[in-house]
Amino acid sequence: MSIVTVQLGQCGNQIGFEVFDALLSDSHSSQGLCSKRENEAYQASCKERFFSEEENGVPIARAVLVDMEPKVINQTLSKAAQSGQWKYGQHACFCQKQGSGNNWAYGYSVHGPRHEESIMSLIRKEVEKCDSFSGFFIIMSMAGGTGSGLGAFVTQNLQDQYPNSLKMNHIIWPYGTGEVIVQNYNSILTLSHLYRSSDALLVHENDAVHKICAKLMNIKQISFSDINQVLAHQLGSVFQPTYSAESSFHYRRNPLGDLMEHLVPHPEFKMLSVRNIPHMSENSLAYSTFTWAGLLKHLRQMLISNAKMEEGIDWHVRPPLSGLPPLGKMSLNKDLHFNTSVANLVILRGKDVQSADVEGFKDPALYTSWLKPVNAFNVWKTQRAFSKYEKSAVLVSNSQFLVKPLDTIVGKAWNMFASKAYIHQYTKFGIEEEDFLDSFTSLEQVVASYCNL
Amino acid sequence: MGRRRQRVDPAAGARAGALPEAIAALSRSLPSGPSPEIFRRAKFDRPEATSALWQLLFRVLSPLPVGNALASLALEAQAHLVKSALCSQGYPRLALAQLPEDGSQGSRELLLALSWLLARGPVPEQMLAQARVPLGDEMTVCQCEALASPGPPAPHMEAEGPVDVRRVQWLMGKLQFRWRQLVSSQQEQCALLSKIHLYTRGCHSDQSLGHLSVTEAEMLRDPEGGQQLLQTLERENQRLEAVLAWRHTELVFWRWMDTVLGTCAPEVPAAASQPTFLPWVPERGGGELELVVRELQALEEELREAVERRRAAWEAKAGGCGRGPEWSAARRASREAVEKELGALQQCWKQDSGPARPHGPHRLVRREDGAAGERDLRAAEVIRTLRSQEACLEAVLRRLQGQCRQELARLVGALPGLIWIPPPGR
């Protein structure tokens, strides 16, 4: 079943391009370590999901590009066309001539309603092209102006017009020391709105990805393109085709639906994060070998100790011994040690994947008391290797990973709000203090729910 | 026990071998019907005929076409279900309820039960309808089937200790995701059906249909599958012919059943009298009905008063209101809205007593506008009906949700020192 991607703002469009590029290059890769027939099935599945066919055979990404200024969209379109492998649809983009000045309220209350018709009509056309439509993948930043405010508005609209379709928002968490003064306001408004209208929020933190680029990839001058490529790699390893069951021979038809059913059925727990292993530069890759046991051990410890990447993992963190009560209610004042999960999904790709042992993830101590590991943990295995990695594992986790960052942002936003700093920029366009208070309430509720796991 | 009264056909009864023929026709017309020999043994209450008859009764009484799951039920389970199904239909003979469920005895009672069912309704025809092979793409336009067949009984699960409400929310969420995926799949199916119908225009030999259905297209694509379909249709034909033969010869069977009944010991007088097996009404049913009646009367009073008050207020306010195009346009719009709502309400109300609403499966045929025949059902009309039903149900849902909210507020108000923050609505 097909997924329609909505790329919003500068962030969304740049990342979207990298994602489609990564998906298609991987599907054309000759190092799949599997039979030709297998490879063809993989390619067909990937294509059906993310691309549509045109007469001359060049796949067209199932995407709608939206931005308030033309520069980034034009760059994105031309980069795609230059690759020669794929492209965006000719009429799949919407842009205006003006920016929105990082003003969430302007994006939500002005741009949104003004351009609602045009944007929704583009999306509708893209959906109609799908024979079988699974849902939306909306890429946006949380703290910018266009991406965030407009993104919240568009997601709400999608909720109204497509109530039965799935919606996953891919959100970029801003740098802690970001440049935009009101980024915390934008963030809390975006998150609280999305929590109501979206089904799942898949979060990537800029800080974390930046560290991956620096430490694991050894990149000296890190550009947005590097960061986006790391992101795309992680997303690709989640969304590329996987088998539907241990012994089945068909690729899973509805990965978005299956993923959501496993991870986010509870309305209070919608925040997902991604961890993958291994991740390194191509040069290092040629000289490395891995075992599943090693990879999974590291991945499990990354989950438990809240590590963002495979380096610098804190091996002292242990799950609470079974039988003993969990280490008190998690307090945000002291350093969080053990990361309790609601649900986890591990996707394994590559050589000898059937022999990979994931028992470590089925430990009940990893999970909250009201879900047994048999319900909370799922593993998808596929023989076909991903993007030149002989073995790769990715973890999509609904756990306490994001509690601390969320709480930090809420705290900072509250401090600013207490002194009413910059509020007039929002009230000018219809976002009242009431709305801020509502947002604070919702997010406090989310933090509390996660803390009480 | 009643039996069909038909014009006596002397020739039929006189022919030797007429009885085995009739019974053979009957058993051919039923799914996995037992041989005439079983019937004969059952008349003499032979134990070896019992299990075959239990199974036949189970097939006849199952609400759904028997799939693998039901067919593999043990004999005891099947017998038990048969007993409860017969009881709920009002079967008068007590001896059946007392039969052992292991298939060791009672074949004559079972034979009597079978003939009771055959006398009450067109059983072979009903079973044929259940198992028919649809050649077209079909869908049902009413909810009857869904409501009448509750499905196999769900396993009864005990909760072990107090259940965390979060787990329940989790499960609800999963259910909702499955539901949405079902809707998506149905939409996909509709889109593909539409394509097939569009692409195969003009391919069908039957002009009134005009295009192929999925089954028909599949037949063309896969000749081997087409052969299998043909064989299934031939088997269905054979059963149809058996049903016709049965209808011709059944009088012989009924005469024979009279003799079977004669060989039974006379039942307790209660059963011999008119079989009035009242459906079991729960004891508190009467009280509830009274309550409902009173509530309805109170509601009617309330509504009447409310209408009066509203009318008076409106008169006072709008007595000399302006004329002009805006005003009349607004009036027209509001009148239309009211008519639509009224229509929806009336539709709901007249659901049971309205003109014959279509039942059962209908074949989907794509046609040019206005080309529909008299007996055809237009999709637009069906959609209209369904939409008004949906509006009714949504109104009921909203009302119930409002009641829930009020109840919650009342409960919360009773607890001192508790602040209730409702979830943010939109």
Side-chain angles (χ1 to χ4, degrees):
Chain A
M1 297 179 93
S2 312
I3 299 174
V4 167
T5 304
V6 182
Q7 306 178 182
L8 287 160
Q10 171 180 349
C11 184
N13 281 297
Q14 286 172 339
I15 294 177
F17 164 75
E18 298 291 351
V19 171
F20 282 111
D21 205 45
L23 290 169
L24 203 62
S25 336
D26 168 57
S27 94
H28 283 158
S29 149
S30 55
Q31 291 163 308
L33 302 178
C34 62
S35 68
K36 184 155 173 269
R37 205 165 58 103
E38 185 73 48
N39 212 31
E40 282 171 2
Y42 187 86
Q43 285 179 349
S45 178
C46 166
K47 281 233 188 80
E48 192 231 347
R49 221 173 271 175
F50 293 104
F51 298 90
S52 58
E53 282 289 324
E54 213 185 49
E55 289 90 36
N56 60 1
V58 175
I60 303 183
R62 296 188 194 272
V64 174
L65 297 82
V66 179
D67 201 357
M68 288 299 117
E69 37 181 48
K71 185 173 96 166
V72 174
I73 286 194
N74 288 335
Q75 281 174 351
T76 312
L77 289 176
S78 60
K79 270 202 281 191
Q82 270 167 17
S83 74
Q85 302 284 335
W86 64 280
K87 59 184 184 179
Y88 283 105
Q90 261 180 335
H91 303 289
C93 42
F94 174 85
C95 58
Q96 297 287 286
K97 293 288 187 277
Q98 27 144 193
S100 74
N102 288 323
N103 190 323
W104 197 96
Y106 198 79
Y108 184 81
S109 309
V110 178
H111 280 311
R114 193 183 284 167
H115 306 302
E116 180 183 344
E117 242 341 285
S118 325
I119 298 178
M120 294 309 288
S121 136
L122 279 182
I123 294 180
R124 196 174 321 124
K125 286 210 194 85
E126 202 56 52
V127 171
E128 280 165 9
K129 278 201 260 178
C130 304
D131 266 343
S132 68
F133 175 61
S134 147
F136 296 102
F137 187 62
I138 303 152
I139 314 181
M140 53 192 272
S141 78
M142 199 164 78
T146 316
S148 47
L150 186 58
F153 182 82
V154 168
T155 310
Q156 221 164 275
N157 256 27
L158 290 176
Q159 167 83 318
D160 291 333
Q161 296 199 14
Y162 298 92
N164 286 316
S165 304
L166 306 167
K167 286 167 284 294
M168 175 178 279
N169 285 63
H170 180 239
I171 304 181
I172 303 304
W173 203 273
Y175 285 107
T177 54
E179 305 163 342
V180 180
I181 294 243
V182 291
Q183 69 178 39
N184 296 315
Y185 280 163
N186 293 344
S187 304
I188 58 138
L189 287 169
T190 307
L191 277 176
S192 61
H193 276 79
L194 289 182
Y195 228 86
R196 270 178 251 152
S197 34
S198 182
D199 298 311
L201 307 180
L202 185 64
V203 175
H204 266 115
E205 298 169 79
N206 265 347
D207 285 313
V209 182
H210 193 103
K211 278 217 194 82
I212 293 181
C213 288
K215 299 267 173 62
L216 298 181
M217 312 279 283
N218 287 320
I219 303 175
K220 297 291 181 278
Q221 302 274 19
I222 300 175
S223 66
F224 272 124
S225 170
D226 299 312
I227 294 200
N228 294 341
Q229 279 170 6
V230 169
L231 275 177
H233 178 96
Q234 290 193 342
L235 289 175
S237 51
V238 172
F239 284 114
Q240 285 292 50
T242 54
Y243 284 135
S244 39
E246 283 289 351
S247 56
S248 164
F249 296 106
H250 296 295
Y251 281 112
R252 195 178 289 273
R253 284 210 75 217
N254 190 359
L256 200 58
D258 293 339
L259 191 148
M260 291 203 187
E261 196 194 314
H262 290 324
L263 294 174
V264 288
H266 197 296
E268 281 172 18
F269 301 101
K270 287 184 182 173
M271 309 209 57
L272 300 175
S273 45
V274 183
R275 298 282 183 273
N276 80 324
I277 189 171
H279 205 139
M280 53 189 57
S281 62
E282 263 191 56
N283 304 334
S284 317
L285 190 54
Y287 300 106
S288 315
T289 54
F290 312 99
T291 61
W292 284 117
L295 289 175
L296 289 171
K297 187 161 158 222
H298 277 73
L299 193 61
R300 180 175 182 269
Q301 194 60 24
M302 281 161 74
L303 168 64
I304 296 176
S305 65
N306 205 350
K308 315 282 188 190
M309 58 180 183
E310 70 207 65
E311 218 178 274
I313 300 178
D314 181 357
W315 289 93
H316 294 302
V317 180
R318 291 258 180 275
L321 293 168
S322 53
L324 296 178
L327 304 166
K329 255 203 272 206
M330 194 172 96
S331 153
L332 288 160
N333 294 327
K334 30 187 215 254
D335 243 347
L336 303 174
H337 281 297
F338 178 70
N339 180 40
T340 310
S341 306
V342 178
N344 289 315
L345 171 66
V346 166
I347 304 176
L348 304 175
R349 301 177 187 275
K351 192 164 150 205
D352 300 329
V353 76
Q354 296 306 332
S355 66
D357 172 20
V358 289
E359 285 309 305
F361 285 92
K362 295 185 187 169
D363 183 355
L366 265 54
Y367 299 96
T368 181
S369 56
W370 44 273
L371 266 188
K372 302 267 173 304
V374 66
N375 299 318
F377 176 68
N378 281 277
V379 59
W380 297 352
K381 294 183 183 172
T382 303
Q383 186 81 359
R384 209 266 192 193
F386 176 70
S387 189
K388 301 190 187 128
Y389 283 82
E390 181 198 66
K391 300 184 175 81
S392 66
V394 68
L395 165 72
V396 187
S397 174
N398 186 351
S399 60
Q400 294 170 328
F401 271 152
L402 291 157
V403 171
K404 192 136 160 279
L406 181 57
D407 195 61
T408 311
I409 286 196
V410 171
K412 286 191 188 161
W414 182 253
N415 287 337
M416 280 179 76
F417 184 71
S419 53
K420 303 284 189 277
Y422 303 102
I423 295 291
H424 61 276
Q425 284 184 9
Y426 294 83
T427 51
K428 203 160 62 163
F429 297 111
I431 304 293
E432 304 298 332
E433 294 185 12
E434 278 289 307
D435 301 309
F436 275 90
L437 287 174
D438 279 341
S439 301
F440 283 119
T441 317
S442 321
L443 293 180
E444 290 285 356
Q445 178 66 39
V446 172
V447 170
S449 304
Y450 272 104
C451 282
N452 282 332
L453 283 178
Chain B
M1 291 185 42
R3 66 165 187 224
R4 287 178 177 273
R5 297 191 183 282
Q6 280 186 344
R7 200 168 47 82
V8 175
D9 183 359
R15 270 203 330 268
L19 178 63
E21 224 177 82
I23 296 183
L26 172 64
S27 89
R28 277 201 318 275
S29 72
L30 292 172
S32 58
S35 66
E37 185 56 24
I38 299 277
F39 282 78
R40 195 184 71 78
R41 297 214 179 145
K43 169 173 178 176
F44 299 109
D45 208 15
R46 302 302 305 264
E48 58 265 23
T50 319
S51 53
L53 285 174
W54 275 124
Q55 285 169 351
L56 177 62
L57 280 168
F58 179 70
R59 289 296 292 272
V60 170
L61 289 165
S62 296
L64 304 165
V66 173
N68 285 335
L70 288 181
S72 61
L73 273 183
L75 186 68
E76 283 83 11
Q78 292 190 5
H80 190 74
L81 282 167
V82 166
K83 278 193 197 174
S84 52
L86 279 172
C87 181
S88 68
Q89 292 202 23
Y91 185 64
R93 286 180 73 85
L94 303 169
L96 184 116
Q98 293 159 355
L99 284 180
E101 289 168 9
D102 56 9
S104 56
Q105 47 166 291
S107 54
R108 185 163 54 208
E109 275 307 319
L110 297 179
L111 182 57
L112 287 174
L114 177 68
S115 44
W116 183 79
L117 287 171
L118 287 172
R120 267 165 60 104
V123 170
E125 287 87 340
Q126 282 169 346
M127 307 224 65
L128 255 184
Q130 241 181 30
R132 57 184 259 284
V133 178
L135 278 181
D137 300 312
E138 300 194 342
M139 60 172 292
T140 50
V141 297
C142 61
Q143 308 292 321
C144 309
E145 215 174 84
L147 293 171
S149 49
H156 185 66
M157 304 223 320
E158 283 291 329
E160 308 136 1
V163 177
D164 195 318
V165 69
R166 288 175 291 183
R167 180 168 165 72
V168 178
Q169 286 175 306
W170 178 269
L171 292 171
M172 272 294 295
K174 276 186 108 115
L175 201 58
Q176 279 172 348
F177 272 127
R178 293 273 176 96
W179 177 257
R180 284 158 79 179
Q181 288 185 38
L182 182 64
V183 173
S184 293
S185 299
Q186 281 184 334
Q187 283 177 332
E188 183 186 356
Q189 187 191 33
C190 285
L192 294 172
L193 264 184
S194 176
K195 271 194 180 164
I196 292 180
H197 291 184
L198 198 59
Y199 294 165
T200 60
R201 259 180 324 191
C203 293
H204 208 288
S205 52
D206 180 349
Q207 293 289 2
S208 68
L209 291 173
H211 62 76
L212 299 179
S213 69
V214 172
T215 319
E216 289 161 347
E218 194 58 26
M219 226 172 28
L220 290 178
R221 204 179 64 89
D222 171 26
E224 205 180 281
Q227 279 296 99
Q228 286 180 350
L229 182 63
L230 192 60
Q231 284 166 5
T232 316
L233 284 171
E234 278 172 354
R235 279 197 294 274
E236 200 180 80
N237 259 354
Q238 283 165 2
R239 266 179 70 183
L240 256 173
E241 285 171 0
V243 171
L244 285 174
W246 159 247
R247 289 297 166 205
H248 274 129
T249 57
E250 61 174 313
L251 192 56
V252 180
F253 174 80
W254 291 118
R255 289 219 196 95
W256 179 68
M257 280 310 300
D258 269 341
T259 67
V260 174
L261 191 56
T263 66
C264 283
E267 270 251 308
V268 185
S273 57
Q274 267 304 321
T276 45
F277 221 85
L278 293 169
W280 173 67
V281 176
E283 297 202 319
R284 50 188 171 78
E288 271 191 12
L289 222 52
E290 285 294 319
L291 199 62
V292 169
V293 165
R294 260 181 286 139
E295 271 184 19
L296 277 175
Q297 284 172 340
L299 185 63
E300 195 186 5
E301 260 315 304
E302 238 184 84
L303 281 173
R304 204 175 302 154
E305 285 175 23
V307 162
E308 282 307 318
R309 263 179 284 143
R310 273 245 181 127
R311 190 163 290 153
W314 186 81
E315 292 283 341
K317 224 169 46 160
C321 231
R323 317 282 170 226
E326 253 184 48
W327 168 247
S328 52
R331 244 183 73 177
R332 206 179 325 124
S334 56
R335 190 185 304 161
E336 279 173 18
V338 167
E339 272 177 2
K340 204 195 306 187
E341 261 199 68
L342 194 60
L345 278 171
Q346 284 178 331
Q347 190 76 14
C348 286
W349 213 241
K350 287 202 289 196
Q351 241 171 31
D352 298 325
S353 61
R357 288 211 12 257
H359 282 271
H362 285 64
R363 178 169 178 154
L364 292 168
V365 176
R366 188 193 182 108
R367 287 227 189 94
E368 298 303 314
D369 240 341
E374 269 176 18
R375 296 190 313 164
D376 297 339
L377 202 58
R378 276 190 188 73
E381 276 176 31
V382 177
I383 293 174
R384 218 185 346 255
T385 315
L386 286 171
R387 283 234 170 95
S388 64
Q389 283 180 346
E390 186 188 12
C392 270
L393 287 171
E394 273 190 9
V396 172
L397 177 67
R398 275 196 297 273
R399 191 168 48 82
L400 289 172
Q401 281 176 336
Q403 283 178 356
C404 264
R405 266 193 284 271
Q406 283 178 350
E407 182 64 18
L408 263 178
R410 189 185 66 77
L411 287 170
V412 162
L415 292 168
L418 182 70
I419 303 175
W420 181 40
I421 308 174
R426 270 209 296 120

